[in-house]
Amino acid sequence: MTSTGIYCRPICPTRTPKRENLVFYPSAAAAQEAGFRPCLRCRPESAPDIGVWRGTSNTVSRALALIEKGGLDGTDVEALAERLGVGERQLRRLFRRHLGASPIAVAQTRRVLLAKHLIHETRLPMSEVALAAGFGSIRRFNETFQQLFGRPPSTLRRGTGAASPGPAGEVAILLPYRPPYDWPAMLAFLRARAIPGVEVVARDGYARTIEVAGAHGTVAVRPATGNALRATIQFPQLSALPTIVARLRRVFDLIADPEVIGAHLSEDPRLAPLVAARPGLRVAGAWDGFELAVRALLGQQITVAGAATLAGRLVAAYGKPVAGAWDGFELAVRALLGQQITVAGAATLAGRLVAAYGKPLAGGVEGLSHVFPGPERLADADLSSLGLTRARAAALGSLARAVVADPQIFGPRQSLDAAVLKLRALPGIGEWTAQYIAMREMREPDAFPAADLGLMRAMADRKGRRPSPGALLARAERWRPWRAYAAQHLWASQGMSYDRGEAPGDDRSPLRPLHPARLAAGRVRTDGDREARDAGAARAAGRGGARPGRAGRRPVAARGRPR
């Protein structure tokens, strides 16, 4: 509003001013750069990101993802543009066109709005708010707020009382989203893939251990009143709070605009009823790219539950305790448990010991004990002792060494095709896994694993004939730039969003594919295995049925798979 110098959201409860006193901007950064200050009533800093423009410029979307993760902290726009594969001038032009502000202005606005959000939502002292929001000094923090709001930051805090974190040192903050939001579907997806010791899904909430810049902590997320999730963050370094919040927003896909995405996908008569049935379906993100890639490799040709079991063994053997370095007594106990048995056996015994006598973290969630091991811990580890085949253990070791050599390998790329090409060069990662990682970690809304059997089954015609991957890819052209959300709806329509394997059997799996006759007798639940099992059952029926006693036998396990 030009009459007041304040920018608001359309939902602001104040009286709507005259039309001649209104100026519209595409983003908060553009309004702030034009000299307007945030409204104290509708609080635009608590609104989700505007998603209308998303999909029109993937370069801007990738740049914003990097800025959220600190891409302009300690560096300049030129370095940011180089990571994205474009020129600095081109990046500035794209930001002006789609956001109405420069990359630096966007980064500064996010910092100010996060600080204002913390002032309203927490009881942190102002010095800690400045640190948590990314300001280099208290002086700079005070100057910015004095310039923008015409008052010191302490006057923006309503109410009185001791300004301090929670009783266990945690910080609780609201993470708003645009409704509708299918929280049960998101929780079910994460529950099926929860890694023991690292993730826990219980009591309508999600919690996990985290590691940022070598420090450990925990986060817990559950629904809040209104259109928001409440995140409780317990972390020793407040300066990491912007990074943690940005990651949580990506994990729970809070920046999506379901109305825009749903309206676009509903133009296809095949997807329209699916969108109407689940209007708030989101694409779950990942906390860490390396963790997701390891999880996908472990999930090839086995069930989701089996992959979680293997991941739990990996964490117990090589993960770091959230409290810090290994304790001497803990090392001694682990050594005694590991005498004359495998590393996996010792990890299992240690897990039982912790479950029976361990103490939950102060202010944390019971069941969280370790952070997921980083690539440097797995690069030269002997993973075959965990019950993995030599081929799979070698693939994981090669993947870890590749990530150590290039820590930004899971970061945004110039395009989706460039990201998939880079990922496919990694050991054990084929087209399906590359698209899956691009969808969940790189947050590519147009990622689409066209060779997925679940998607082809969902798009079968009335006679049950399924399209080929090429035909499905051609059909999906009309779903751009939201093909990842179309895939999520198709999976959900088949009841496969939460029980399917991470990758089909032909996705450069380090395991040898099973013969259909062996699959027919087993209980393997990945898509490719289900297909082969159905074929084997049909052949058995053609021969007059299975042999007597066959159904009562123990299922045949895959070669190299832990029984």
Side-chain angles (χ1 to χ4, degrees):
M1 291 178 284
T2 57
S3 56
T4 61
I6 297 174
Y7 70 89
C8 300
R9 292 191 280 169
I11 63 170
C12 187
T14 58
R15 188 180 65 178
T16 304
K18 295 181 180 179
R19 181 63 179 82
E20 58 267 22
N21 294 331
L22 292 178
V23 180
F24 297 92
Y25 293 93
S27 67
Q32 187 164 312
E33 196 173 33
F36 293 88
R37 64 180 185 274
C39 177
L40 295 179
R41 295 195 65 182
C42 65
R43 293 178 54 194
E45 78 279 356
S46 64
D49 286 353
I50 296 177
V52 175
W53 64 272
R54 292 185 180 274
T56 61
S57 176
N58 289 329
T59 300
V60 174
S61 179
R62 296 182 182 97
L64 280 179
L66 288 174
I67 291 174
E68 282 186 331
K69 296 167 68 175
L72 284 179
D73 295 345
T75 185
D76 54 12
V77 178
E78 183 178 0
L80 179 67
E82 185 177 356
R83 291 185 61 180
L84 296 168
V86 299
E88 179 185 356
R89 294 179 61 185
Q90 173 67 5
L91 184 62
R92 292 182 184 275
R93 282 197 297 266
L94 289 174
F95 265 68
R96 286 290 179 187
R97 181 190 310 167
H98 296 284
L99 297 178
S102 66
I104 294 294
V106 170
Q108 291 176 344
T109 300
R110 287 184 179 274
R111 189 178 299 120
V112 170
L113 295 184
L114 175 59
K116 187 171 179 287
H117 192 53
L118 291 174
I119 291 173
H120 284 293
E121 297 293 335
T122 73
R123 304 303 301 167
L124 289 172
M126 291 300 158
S127 58
E128 295 185 2
V129 169
L131 180 65
F135 285 90
S137 65
I138 294 294
R139 180 179 178 180
R140 178 59 179 164
F141 172 68
N142 289 329
E143 288 178 351
T144 300
F145 270 78
Q146 188 69 40
Q147 179 182 3
L148 184 60
F149 297 97
R151 65 186 74 180
S154 59
T155 61
L156 300 178
R157 172 165 283 162
R158 299 184 179 93
T160 59
S164 63
E170 73 273 9
V171 175
I173 186 171
L174 289 177
L175 304 176
Y177 57 78
R178 293 182 182 275
Y181 192 99
D182 196 338
W183 175 250
M186 174 66 70
L187 212 59
F189 188 96
L190 297 174
R191 179 184 291 111
R193 290 159 176 79
I195 301 174
V198 175
E199 299 173 288
V200 171
V201 179
R203 296 189 296 275
D204 198 33
Y206 169 85
R208 67 162 294 138
T209 60
I210 59 174
E211 180 177 11
V212 178
H216 302 161
T218 62
V219 295
V221 181
R222 60 181 62 254
T225 56
N227 301 319
L229 303 177
R230 180 172 294 277
T232 303
I233 303 167
Q234 187 175 9
F235 201 77
Q237 298 177 0
L238 282 174
S239 58
L241 195 59
T243 299
I244 296 172
V245 170
R247 290 195 188 186
L248 289 175
R249 287 162 59 86
R250 291 159 62 84
V251 168
F252 294 98
D253 197 14
L254 300 181
I255 63 175
D257 190 332
E259 293 185 1
V260 172
I261 298 172
H264 180 79
L265 296 181
S266 295
E267 295 177 359
D268 189 315
R270 193 64 174 270
L271 293 181
L274 306 184
V275 175
R278 290 180 174 271
L281 196 64
R282 307 292 177 106
V283 177
W287 177 262
D288 178 74
F290 177 69
E291 177 182 316
L292 178 65
V294 170
R295 182 70 174 69
L297 283 179
L298 291 175
Q300 290 175 348
Q301 292 196 346
I302 62 175
T303 63
V304 172
T309 299
L310 290 179
R313 294 179 183 176
L314 185 73
V315 168
Y318 298 101
K320 298 178 182 178
V322 289
W326 288 85
D327 178 75
F329 176 70
E330 181 178 346
L331 278 176
V333 172
R334 280 295 303 272
L336 288 174
L337 292 175
Q339 289 178 350
Q340 296 185 349
I341 61 174
T342 64
V343 175
T348 301
L349 291 178
R352 294 176 183 174
L353 185 68
V354 170
Y357 300 103
K359 296 180 180 179
L361 298 173
V365 179
E366 186 174 359
L368 300 181
S369 58
H370 292 73
V371 294
F372 195 85
E376 66 284 347
R377 291 182 68 86
L378 302 183
D380 299 315
D382 181 14
L383 303 178
S384 60
S385 60
L386 299 176
L388 305 177
T389 62
R390 293 182 179 178
R392 179 168 296 183
L396 289 174
S398 299
L399 173 66
R401 289 188 289 273
V403 177
V404 170
D406 182 9
Q408 304 298 331
I409 203 165
F410 297 112
R413 299 284 168 177
Q414 183 176 1
S415 66
L416 173 61
D417 292 338
V420 170
L421 185 64
K422 185 70 174 180
L423 292 173
R424 292 195 62 179
L426 296 175
I429 294 182
E431 178 68 19
W432 192 101
T433 307
Q435 294 282 350
Y436 184 67
I437 294 174
M439 179 189 302
R440 293 195 58 194
E441 166 61 19
M442 299 180 174
R443 305 308 297 157
E444 290 283 355
D446 207 33
F448 189 73
D452 186 271
L453 291 173
L455 298 181
M456 290 187 283
R457 182 185 292 118
M459 290 299 294
D461 59 20
R462 294 182 179 179
K463 295 183 179 180
R465 293 175 299 193
R466 302 167 188 172
S468 65
L472 180 58
L473 198 61
R475 175 66 182 273
E477 282 296 315
R478 68 179 69 179
W479 304 336
R480 287 181 178 273
W482 311 111
R483 294 187 302 178
Y485 293 88
Q488 197 71 25
H489 280 288
L490 292 175
W491 282 331
S493 71
Q494 296 294 301
M496 296 169 53
S497 295
Y498 321 120
D499 65 350
R500 68 184 313 278
E502 298 293 352
D506 59 350
D507 193 56
R508 292 184 61 182
S509 171
L511 281 182
R512 182 180 301 175
L514 295 179
H515 191 276
R518 300 185 68 196
L519 291 170
R523 294 183 180 178
V524 185
R525 296 177 63 186
T526 57
D527 287 339
D529 292 350
R530 254 196 295 257
E531 293 296 309
R533 184 179 62 198
D534 295 342
R539 285 197 300 272
R543 292 194 300 266
R547 288 177 289 177
R550 184 76 173 176
R553 296 183 183 180
R554 181 177 180 177
V556 178
R559 180 178 304 173
R561 189 180 343 149
R563 294 179 181 270

PDB file of all heavy atoms in Angstrom, residues 201-223:
ATOM      1  N   VAL A 201       8.412 -42.647  13.405  1.00  0.00           N
ATOM      2  CA  VAL A 201       7.085 -42.115  13.085  1.00  0.00           C
ATOM      3  C   VAL A 201       6.115 -42.704  14.099  1.00  0.00           C
ATOM      4  O   VAL A 201       5.876 -43.914  14.108  1.00  0.00           O
ATOM      5  CB  VAL A 201       6.650 -42.476  11.654  1.00  0.00           C
ATOM      6  CG1 VAL A 201       5.254 -41.927  11.379  1.00  0.00           C
ATOM      7  CG2 VAL A 201       7.637 -41.914  10.642  1.00  0.00           C
ATOM      8  N   ALA A 202       5.586 -41.873  14.966  1.00  0.00           N
ATOM      9  CA  ALA A 202       4.683 -42.336  16.025  1.00  0.00           C
ATOM     10  C   ALA A 202       3.826 -41.169  16.487  1.00  0.00           C
ATOM     11  O   ALA A 202       4.235 -40.005  16.404  1.00  0.00           O
ATOM     12  CB  ALA A 202       5.479 -42.898  17.205  1.00  0.00           C
ATOM     13  N   ARG A 203       2.622 -41.497  16.946  1.00  0.00           N
ATOM     14  CA  ARG A 203       1.699 -40.508  17.510  1.00  0.00           C
ATOM     15  C   ARG A 203       1.489 -39.322  16.568  1.00  0.00           C
ATOM     16  O   ARG A 203       1.570 -38.161  16.949  1.00  0.00           O
ATOM     17  CB  ARG A 203       2.199 -40.025  18.872  1.00  0.00           C
ATOM     18  CG  ARG A 203       2.248 -41.126  19.916  1.00  0.00           C
ATOM     19  CD  ARG A 203       2.549 -40.539  21.294  1.00  0.00           C
ATOM     20  NE  ARG A 203       3.867 -39.926  21.331  1.00  0.00           N
ATOM     21  CZ  ARG A 203       4.991 -40.594  21.570  1.00  0.00           C
ATOM     22  NH1 ARG A 203       4.962 -41.904  21.787  1.00  0.00           N
ATOM     23  NH2 ARG A 203       6.159 -39.979  21.595  1.00  0.00           N
ATOM     24  N   ASP A 204       1.198 -39.657  15.325  1.00  0.00           N
ATOM     25  CA  ASP A 204       0.866 -38.644  14.324  1.00  0.00           C
ATOM     26  C   ASP A 204       1.992 -37.635  14.115  1.00  0.00           C
ATOM     27  O   ASP A 204       1.758 -36.476  13.761  1.00  0.00           O
ATOM     28  CB  ASP A 204      -0.419 -37.904  14.719  1.00  0.00           C
ATOM     29  CG  ASP A 204      -1.035 -37.167  13.532  1.00  0.00           C
ATOM     30  OD1 ASP A 204      -0.912 -37.671  12.399  1.00  0.00           O
ATOM     31  OD2 ASP A 204      -1.621 -36.090  13.733  1.00  0.00           O
ATOM     32  N   GLY A 205       3.234 -38.055  14.343  1.00  0.00           N
ATOM     33  CA  GLY A 205       4.362 -37.160  14.153  1.00  0.00           C
ATOM     34  C   GLY A 205       5.567 -37.892  13.608  1.00  0.00           C
ATOM     35  O   GLY A 205       5.642 -39.129  13.628  1.00  0.00           O
ATOM     36  N   TYR A 206       6.506 -37.123  13.112  1.00  0.00           N
ATOM     37  CA  TYR A 206       7.742 -37.650  12.531  1.00  0.00           C
ATOM     38  C   TYR A 206       8.917 -37.013  13.260  1.00  0.00           C
ATOM     39  O   TYR A 206       8.921 -35.810  13.541  1.00  0.00           O
ATOM     40  CB  TYR A 206       7.804 -37.321  11.042  1.00  0.00           C
ATOM     41  CG  TYR A 206       9.147 -37.592  10.388  1.00  0.00           C
ATOM     42  CD1 TYR A 206       9.468 -38.859   9.908  1.00  0.00           C
ATOM     43  CD2 TYR A 206      10.092 -36.573  10.237  1.00  0.00           C
ATOM     44  CE1 TYR A 206      10.685 -39.107   9.295  1.00  0.00           C
ATOM     45  CE2 TYR A 206      11.317 -36.811   9.631  1.00  0.00           C
ATOM     46  CZ  TYR A 206      11.607 -38.082   9.166  1.00  0.00           C
ATOM     47  OH  TYR A 206      12.811 -38.334   8.571  1.00  0.00           O
ATOM     48  N   ALA A 207       9.918 -37.830  13.593  1.00  0.00           N
ATOM     49  CA  ALA A 207      11.122 -37.318  14.245  1.00  0.00           C
ATOM     50  C   ALA A 207      12.331 -38.022  13.660  1.00  0.00           C
ATOM     51  O   ALA A 207      12.243 -39.170  13.201  1.00  0.00           O
ATOM     52  CB  ALA A 207      11.056 -37.540  15.757  1.00  0.00           C
ATOM     53  N   ARG A 208      13.469 -37.338  13.683  1.00  0.00           N
ATOM     54  CA  ARG A 208      14.694 -37.923  13.170  1.00  0.00           C
ATOM     55  C   ARG A 208      15.904 -37.224  13.771  1.00  0.00           C
ATOM     56  O   ARG A 208      15.804 -36.117  14.310  1.00  0.00           O
ATOM     57  CB  ARG A 208      14.754 -37.844  11.644  1.00  0.00           C
ATOM     58  CG  ARG A 208      14.883 -36.444  11.070  1.00  0.00           C
ATOM     59  CD  ARG A 208      15.378 -36.515   9.623  1.00  0.00           C
ATOM     60  NE  ARG A 208      16.741 -37.034   9.568  1.00  0.00           N
ATOM     61  CZ  ARG A 208      17.169 -37.924   8.662  1.00  0.00           C
ATOM     62  NH1 ARG A 208      16.347 -38.375   7.739  1.00  0.00           N
ATOM     63  NH2 ARG A 208      18.430 -38.339   8.669  1.00  0.00           N
ATOM     64  N   THR A 209      17.037 -37.891  13.670  1.00  0.00           N
ATOM     65  CA  THR A 209      18.307 -37.272  14.038  1.00  0.00           C
ATOM     66  C   THR A 209      18.857 -36.526  12.838  1.00  0.00           C
ATOM     67  O   THR A 209      18.575 -36.871  11.686  1.00  0.00           O
ATOM     68  CB  THR A 209      19.309 -38.337  14.495  1.00  0.00           C
ATOM     69  OG1 THR A 209      19.531 -39.273  13.425  1.00  0.00           O
ATOM     70  CG2 THR A 209      18.797 -39.082  15.714  1.00  0.00           C
ATOM     71  N   ILE A 210      19.643 -35.506  13.089  1.00  0.00           N
ATOM     72  CA  ILE A 210      20.201 -34.703  12.003  1.00  0.00           C
ATOM     73  C   ILE A 210      21.667 -34.409  12.301  1.00  0.00           C
ATOM     74  O   ILE A 210      22.110 -34.432  13.452  1.00  0.00           O
ATOM     75  CB  ILE A 210      19.431 -33.384  11.813  1.00  0.00           C
ATOM     76  CG1 ILE A 210      19.464 -32.545  13.089  1.00  0.00           C
ATOM     77  CG2 ILE A 210      18.004 -33.661  11.389  1.00  0.00           C
ATOM     78  CD1 ILE A 210      18.844 -31.167  12.935  1.00  0.00           C
ATOM     79  N   GLU A 211      22.402 -34.110  11.250  1.00  0.00           N
ATOM     80  CA  GLU A 211      23.786 -33.664  11.360  1.00  0.00           C
ATOM     81  C   GLU A 211      24.009 -32.525  10.379  1.00  0.00           C
ATOM     82  O   GLU A 211      23.734 -32.666   9.180  1.00  0.00           O
ATOM     83  CB  GLU A 211      24.759 -34.813  11.062  1.00  0.00           C
ATOM     84  CG  GLU A 211      26.228 -34.396  11.157  1.00  0.00           C
ATOM     85  CD  GLU A 211      27.194 -35.544  10.941  1.00  0.00           C
ATOM     86  OE1 GLU A 211      26.727 -36.626  10.503  1.00  0.00           O
ATOM     87  OE2 GLU A 211      28.396 -35.379  11.195  1.00  0.00           O
ATOM     88  N   VAL A 212      24.457 -31.401  10.886  1.00  0.00           N
ATOM     89  CA  VAL A 212      24.759 -30.228  10.058  1.00  0.00           C
ATOM     90  C   VAL A 212      26.119 -29.706  10.485  1.00  0.00           C
ATOM     91  O   VAL A 212      26.324 -29.370  11.667  1.00  0.00           O
ATOM     92  CB  VAL A 212      23.690 -29.129  10.207  1.00  0.00           C
ATOM     93  CG1 VAL A 212      24.067 -27.914   9.359  1.00  0.00           C
ATOM     94  CG2 VAL A 212      22.313 -29.646   9.821  1.00  0.00           C
ATOM     95  N   ALA A 213      27.054 -29.655   9.545  1.00  0.00           N
ATOM     96  CA  ALA A 213      28.395 -29.132   9.812  1.00  0.00           C
ATOM     97  C   ALA A 213      29.058 -29.838  10.994  1.00  0.00           C
ATOM     98  O   ALA A 213      29.728 -29.203  11.816  1.00  0.00           O
ATOM     99  CB  ALA A 213      28.345 -27.625  10.044  1.00  0.00           C
ATOM    100  N   GLY A 214      28.862 -31.143  11.101  1.00  0.00           N
ATOM    101  CA  GLY A 214      29.504 -31.925  12.144  1.00  0.00           C
ATOM    102  C   GLY A 214      28.801 -31.947  13.478  1.00  0.00           C
ATOM    103  O   GLY A 214      29.184 -32.712  14.366  1.00  0.00           O
ATOM    104  N   ALA A 215      27.759 -31.127  13.673  1.00  0.00           N
ATOM    105  CA  ALA A 215      27.000 -31.106  14.924  1.00  0.00           C
ATOM    106  C   ALA A 215      25.760 -31.979  14.787  1.00  0.00           C
ATOM    107  O   ALA A 215      25.197 -32.116  13.696  1.00  0.00           O
ATOM    108  CB  ALA A 215      26.604 -29.681  15.293  1.00  0.00           C
ATOM    109  N   HIS A 216      25.335 -32.571  15.914  1.00  0.00           N
ATOM    110  CA  HIS A 216      24.211 -33.496  15.909  1.00  0.00           C
ATOM    111  C   HIS A 216      23.038 -32.913  16.686  1.00  0.00           C
ATOM    112  O   HIS A 216      23.215 -32.144  17.628  1.00  0.00           O
ATOM    113  CB  HIS A 216      24.615 -34.833  16.537  1.00  0.00           C
ATOM    114  CG  HIS A 216      25.767 -35.491  15.857  1.00  0.00           C
ATOM    115  ND1 HIS A 216      26.534 -36.464  16.453  1.00  0.00           N
ATOM    116  CD2 HIS A 216      26.300 -35.308  14.624  1.00  0.00           C
ATOM    117  CE1 HIS A 216      27.480 -36.856  15.627  1.00  0.00           C
ATOM    118  NE2 HIS A 216      27.358 -36.157  14.515  1.00  0.00           N
ATOM    119  N   GLY A 217      21.834 -33.317  16.303  1.00  0.00           N
ATOM    120  CA  GLY A 217      20.635 -32.909  17.007  1.00  0.00           C
ATOM    121  C   GLY A 217      19.450 -33.710  16.543  1.00  0.00           C
ATOM    122  O   GLY A 217      19.598 -34.739  15.855  1.00  0.00           O
ATOM    123  N   THR A 218      18.262 -33.267  16.896  1.00  0.00           N
ATOM    124  CA  THR A 218      17.036 -33.946  16.504  1.00  0.00           C
ATOM    125  C   THR A 218      15.994 -32.925  16.077  1.00  0.00           C
ATOM    126  O   THR A 218      16.037 -31.756  16.482  1.00  0.00           O
ATOM    127  CB  THR A 218      16.449 -34.780  17.673  1.00  0.00           C
ATOM    128  OG1 THR A 218      16.115 -33.913  18.753  1.00  0.00           O
ATOM    129  CG2 THR A 218      17.439 -35.834  18.150  1.00  0.00           C
ATOM    130  N   VAL A 219      15.049 -33.384  15.252  1.00  0.00           N
ATOM    131  CA  VAL A 219      13.892 -32.578  14.877  1.00  0.00           C
ATOM    132  C   VAL A 219      12.655 -33.456  15.012  1.00  0.00           C
ATOM    133  O   VAL A 219      12.714 -34.671  14.773  1.00  0.00           O
ATOM    134  CB  VAL A 219      13.991 -32.023  13.441  1.00  0.00           C
ATOM    135  CG1 VAL A 219      15.144 -31.035  13.320  1.00  0.00           C
ATOM    136  CG2 VAL A 219      14.133 -33.140  12.426  1.00  0.00           C
ATOM    137  N   ALA A 220      11.547 -32.868  15.395  1.00  0.00           N
ATOM    138  CA  ALA A 220      10.264 -33.559  15.481  1.00  0.00           C
ATOM    139  C   ALA A 220       9.214 -32.671  14.840  1.00  0.00           C
ATOM    140  O   ALA A 220       9.165 -31.464  15.108  1.00  0.00           O
ATOM    141  CB  ALA A 220       9.907 -33.860  16.932  1.00  0.00           C
ATOM    142  N   VAL A 221       8.378 -33.252  13.983  1.00  0.00           N
ATOM    143  CA  VAL A 221       7.382 -32.490  13.224  1.00  0.00           C
ATOM    144  C   VAL A 221       6.024 -33.148  13.415  1.00  0.00           C
ATOM    145  O   VAL A 221       5.899 -34.372  13.295  1.00  0.00           O
ATOM    146  CB  VAL A 221       7.744 -32.440  11.722  1.00  0.00           C
ATOM    147  CG1 VAL A 221       6.709 -31.623  10.953  1.00  0.00           C
ATOM    148  CG2 VAL A 221       9.135 -31.843  11.529  1.00  0.00           C
ATOM    149  N   ARG A 222       5.026 -32.328  13.694  1.00  0.00           N
ATOM    150  CA  ARG A 222       3.660 -32.817  13.814  1.00  0.00           C
ATOM    151  C   ARG A 222       2.703 -31.703  13.410  1.00  0.00           C
ATOM    152  O   ARG A 222       3.097 -30.525  13.344  1.00  0.00           O
ATOM    153  CB  ARG A 222       3.360 -33.309  15.230  1.00  0.00           C
ATOM    154  CG  ARG A 222       3.499 -32.284  16.322  1.00  0.00           C
ATOM    155  CD  ARG A 222       3.188 -32.896  17.688  1.00  0.00           C
ATOM    156  NE  ARG A 222       4.111 -33.974  18.020  1.00  0.00           N
ATOM    157  CZ  ARG A 222       3.788 -35.272  17.985  1.00  0.00           C
ATOM    158  NH1 ARG A 222       2.579 -35.645  17.642  1.00  0.00           N
ATOM    159  NH2 ARG A 222       4.675 -36.191  18.308  1.00  0.00           N
ATOM    160  N   PRO A 223       1.445 -32.025  13.129  1.00  0.00           N
ATOM    161  CA  PRO A 223       0.504 -30.985  12.693  1.00  0.00           C
ATOM    162  C   PRO A 223       0.263 -29.949  13.780  1.00  0.00           C
ATOM    163  O   PRO A 223       0.310 -30.245  14.976  1.00  0.00           O
ATOM    164  CB  PRO A 223      -0.775 -31.778  12.395  1.00  0.00           C
ATOM    165  CG  PRO A 223      -0.348 -33.193  12.240  1.00  0.00           C
ATOM    166  CD  PRO A 223       0.848 -33.371  13.110  1.00  0.00           C
TER     167      PRO A 223
END
